Amino acid sequence: MADDILVEPQDGWRKLTLNRPDKLNAVNEAMLTRLLHALDAAEADPSCRALLLTGAGRGFCAGQELGPSLTPGPNGPPDLEKLAGTYHHEVVRRLRASRLPVVCAVNGVAAGAGASFALASDIVLAARSAKFVQAFVKIGLVPDSGASFFLTRSVGEARARVLALLGDAVTADQAEQWGMIWKAVDDATLMPDATALAARLAQGPAESHAMIKRMFAAAATNDLSAQLDLEAALQGQAGRTDDYAEGVRAFQEKRPPRFGQRAAT
Ligand code: T3D
């Protein structure tokens, strides 16, 4: 059985590791299919309340494998629209639509679609030695997997255009300063920090987390009035959860809350 996607169930959360270290975890169709299955399985597991995504070896993910499916052959160019739509973009959709908070530990270079997978996650920590490369332009392609969406919103259009047009690497520290990621940390503390974060999220109010993700997704397109309506509706929903009752009780009793409910479908 292929082990290019490692799934390690932890106490209330799962660690997913892209595991093709000799290729800096470059992805291909089979690997992405297994990643999609792993994401679906985590989503369907009621005991799973958070995800940690990382890469094995010295890279996080070097994007699409520059192999046969990307190589123009005797029958003409490959159908990259189909490739992106079937695999890469489904990963991004799953990460964003998931009810589970996703922590991404960028342990090394994140290039092309690999950078987009990181940016699609909810909380991104990167090792100081890691870098982010919009590699697409270097091989005559264009940003995909949400890169143009995420970057224009996180670093602003001026920087996003430079990154996309030149394909120069951005260091983890620079990515943090620009707001592309949450934090750059020392290489040695990346996994302990990311693990602690995933474990902490797994102890949090799962339904609240799911609604926060929905709310932030909608904020990308809603006007203020529509967003206020959504916030009111979701607050109403949150107010009816057991976690809210427990949260208020815990506050009044001056003790930490014990959240435990799985997000509703
Ligand atoms: O339809 C669609 O959606 C199309 C897909 C689009 C999405 C994309 O992701 S397009 C972008 C594809 N990715 C790239 O263009 C990145 C290519 N890789 C690089 O530019 C560099 O490898 C890095 C900047 C990522 C890292 O450089 P460096 O010097 O640290 O490592 P290296 O020596 O270049 O790579 C190490 C090995 O990984 C090497 O193998 P070797 O020679 O030791 O056997 C290299 O060939 C391999 N590798 C790295 N990236 C890929 C790869 N092999 C296949 N595909 C890769 N993408």
Side-chain angles (χ1 to χ4, degrees):
M1 189 166 128
D3 62 354
D4 49 17
I5 300 294
L6 302 180
V7 179
E8 294 171 82
Q10 310 285 329
D11 186 15
W13 57 279
R14 288 186 189 194
K15 181 178 175 189
L16 306 184
T17 305
L18 306 174
N19 186 37
R20 272 183 98 204
D22 56 320
K23 300 285 179 201
L24 302 178
N25 306 314
V27 291
N28 54 35
E29 294 88 316
M31 189 173 169
L32 288 169
T33 301
R34 282 185 279 276
L35 178 57
L36 288 168
H37 286 157
L39 291 171
D40 288 345
E43 193 78 16
D45 176 0
S47 71
C48 181
R49 297 158 62 91
L51 287 177
L52 169 55
L53 179 64
T54 192
R58 75 173 179 89
F60 169 67
C61 175
Q64 169 65 33
E65 177 182 19
L66 298 179
S69 58
L70 236 69
T71 312
N75 298 325
D79 186 347
L80 297 189
E81 181 176 356
K82 186 166 171 218
L83 181 63
T86 311
Y87 301 101
H88 308 78
H89 293 186
E90 281 307 310
V91 170
V92 171
R93 286 198 172 95
R94 295 284 209 295
L95 292 171
R96 281 279 152 148
S98 173
R99 284 168 284 137
L100 306 171
V102 182
V103 176
C104 185
V106 182
N107 51 301
V109 66
S116 298
F117 296 160
L119 300 181
S121 303
D122 295 298
I123 302 180
V124 187
L125 291 173
R128 286 230 153 69
S129 66
K131 55 188 179 177
F132 296 81
V133 191
Q134 293 302 307
F136 311 93
V137 74
K138 296 195 168 188
I139 52 171
L141 291 182
V142 297
D144 75 2
S145 308
S148 58
F149 182 95
F150 300 130
L151 286 176
T152 47
R153 284 164 175 76
S154 61
V155 305
E157 189 150 339
R159 287 170 178 149
R161 281 177 188 260
V162 171
L163 298 181
L165 288 168
L166 300 181
D168 289 346
V170 175
T171 64
D173 279 322
Q174 185 73 85
E176 177 189 326
Q177 283 160 25
W178 283 357
M180 189 194 294
I181 63 168
W182 180 49
K183 205 156 69 163
V185 298
D186 290 341
D187 287 26
T189 63
L190 177 70
M191 289 318 295
D193 286 1
T195 298
L197 203 49
R200 180 176 161 191
L201 287 163
Q203 297 299 315
E207 289 189 82
S208 177
H209 289 163
M211 286 186 256
I212 289 167
K213 289 192 64 163
R214 259 184 75 190
M215 188 180 277
F216 275 83
T221 50
N222 271 350
D223 62 19
L224 176 61
S225 181
Q227 193 66 12
L228 288 170
D229 288 346
L230 178 66
E231 287 181 0
L234 292 178
Q235 200 67 291
Q237 218 174 302
R240 292 188 289 276
T241 63
D242 290 347
D243 281 341
Y244 172 63
E246 163 62 8
V248 174
R249 221 169 23 238
F251 174 77
Q252 290 165 347
E253 294 168 5
K254 299 189 186 305
R255 61 168 174 80
R258 290 182 293 270
F259 297 122
Q261 204 177 293
R262 169 77 165 129
T265 46

